[in-house]
Amino acid sequence: MSDLIPLHQARCLPLKGKEHRLTPARIAELLRQVNGWQLVENDHAISKTFHFADYHRTLAFVNALAYIAHREDHHPDLGVHYDRVVVRYSTHDAGGLSENDFICAAKADQLTE
Amino acid sequence: MSDLIPLHQARCLPLKGKEHRLTPARIAELLRQVNGWQLVENDHAISKTFHFADYHRTLAFVNALAYIAHREDHHPDLGVHYDRVVVRYSTHDAGGLSENDFICAAKADQLTE
């Protein structure tokens, strides 16, 4: 992926294979391009909690994220509660974090910024 | 709640206060009226995992559950994954399980049966 394109405008690609797993240096670089995401699960995933004023807004966000997931064919794990959504991205086929996780994280940020 | 009404046809009521927390005997009775729900978190909640063929069906179920949550003003915690949803009901204001949790569990079962 070219860093000339803003992360939220990049598109996910099929990244099957361990060779797509990001190095720690690249992870650190991409983390700086998203807003408030944390490394979790021994650096195999990234996670962020989004807060909302009510359940309607919470579900609207879930559906917007699902639209992105369909379009990019890259699916988050979600913890959906009354007023917040815990979003987690990881790339199973790469055995950890790939560029796709940060592309989708940036698109999730865009929804709320 | 009268047991003459099938659980999935009952409506949730505002149950604020510890007096609405169910006894172990009543929990056992209501568990027999729902399908495959488990007691979790030291009997403070019930949980069931629903499986789906694809992400579209998974999200359709999430939205149907959200409709029930709006209508009953009783909201689950959800773990939303590609092909499954982990549903958890508990009644915070009762400090554990109330009739409302089993009413919503029965309505969730009805969606998929």
Side-chain angles (χ1 to χ4, degrees):
Chain A
M1 190 185 70
S2 164
D3 276 351
L4 298 177
I5 303 170
L7 204 52
H8 71 270
Q9 289 179 4
R11 297 297 304 273
C12 291
L13 296 171
L15 299 181
K16 295 192 187 300
K18 306 291 181 200
E19 69 274 21
H20 296 294
R21 187 168 169 194
L22 299 174
T23 63
R26 182 64 178 150
I27 289 171
E29 199 170 62
L30 288 169
L31 263 182
R32 286 193 292 272
Q33 298 180 45
V34 293
N35 184 11
W37 291 77
Q38 307 281 331
L39 287 172
V40 294
E41 298 164 36
N42 202 22
D43 300 356
H44 278 62
I46 49 174
S47 179
K48 178 176 173 180
T49 300
F50 293 82
H51 294 268
F52 301 96
D54 58 41
Y55 198 61
H56 296 273
R57 286 173 172 82
T58 296
L59 262 290
F61 177 74
V62 166
N63 283 289
L65 267 191
Y67 176 79
I68 292 169
H70 289 314
R71 186 158 187 265
E72 301 299 330
D73 196 22
H74 192 57
H75 302 81
D77 295 290
L78 304 178
V80 181
H81 310 281
Y82 181 78
D83 58 358
R84 69 192 190 283
V85 180
V86 183
V87 183
R88 171 196 180 274
Y89 285 108
S90 184
T91 303
H92 185 78
D93 291 325
L97 286 165
S98 76
E99 302 267 344
N100 288 349
D101 300 312
F102 288 92
I103 291 170
C104 286
K107 290 179 189 293
D109 285 344
Q110 277 279 309
L111 290 175
T112 58
E113 281 165 10
Chain B
M1 188 185 71
S2 165
D3 276 349
L4 297 177
I5 303 170
L7 204 50
H8 71 270
Q9 290 178 3
R11 298 296 306 272
C12 290
L13 296 172
L15 299 181
K16 297 194 185 297
K18 305 293 180 200
E19 69 275 20
H20 297 292
R21 188 170 169 190
L22 299 174
T23 63
R26 182 63 179 152
I27 289 172
E29 198 170 63
L30 288 169
L31 263 183
R32 286 193 294 273
Q33 299 179 45
V34 292
N35 184 11
W37 290 77
Q38 308 280 331
L39 287 172
V40 293
E41 297 163 36
N42 202 23
D43 301 355
H44 279 61
I46 49 174
S47 179
K48 179 177 174 179
T49 300
F50 293 81
H51 295 269
F52 301 95
D54 58 40
Y55 198 61
H56 296 274
R57 286 172 172 83
T58 296
L59 262 290
F61 177 74
V62 166
N63 283 291
L65 266 191
Y67 176 78
I68 292 169
H70 288 315
R71 187 158 186 264
E72 301 299 329
D73 196 22
H74 192 58
H75 302 80
D77 294 291
L78 304 177
V80 181
H81 311 281
Y82 181 78
D83 58 358
R84 69 193 189 282
V85 181
V86 183
V87 183
R88 171 195 179 276
Y89 284 108
S90 183
T91 304
H92 185 77
D93 290 326
L97 287 165
S98 76
E99 302 268 344
N100 288 349
D101 300 312
F102 288 93
I103 291 170
C104 286
K107 290 179 190 292
D109 285 344
Q110 277 279 307
L111 290 175
T112 59
E113 281 166 11

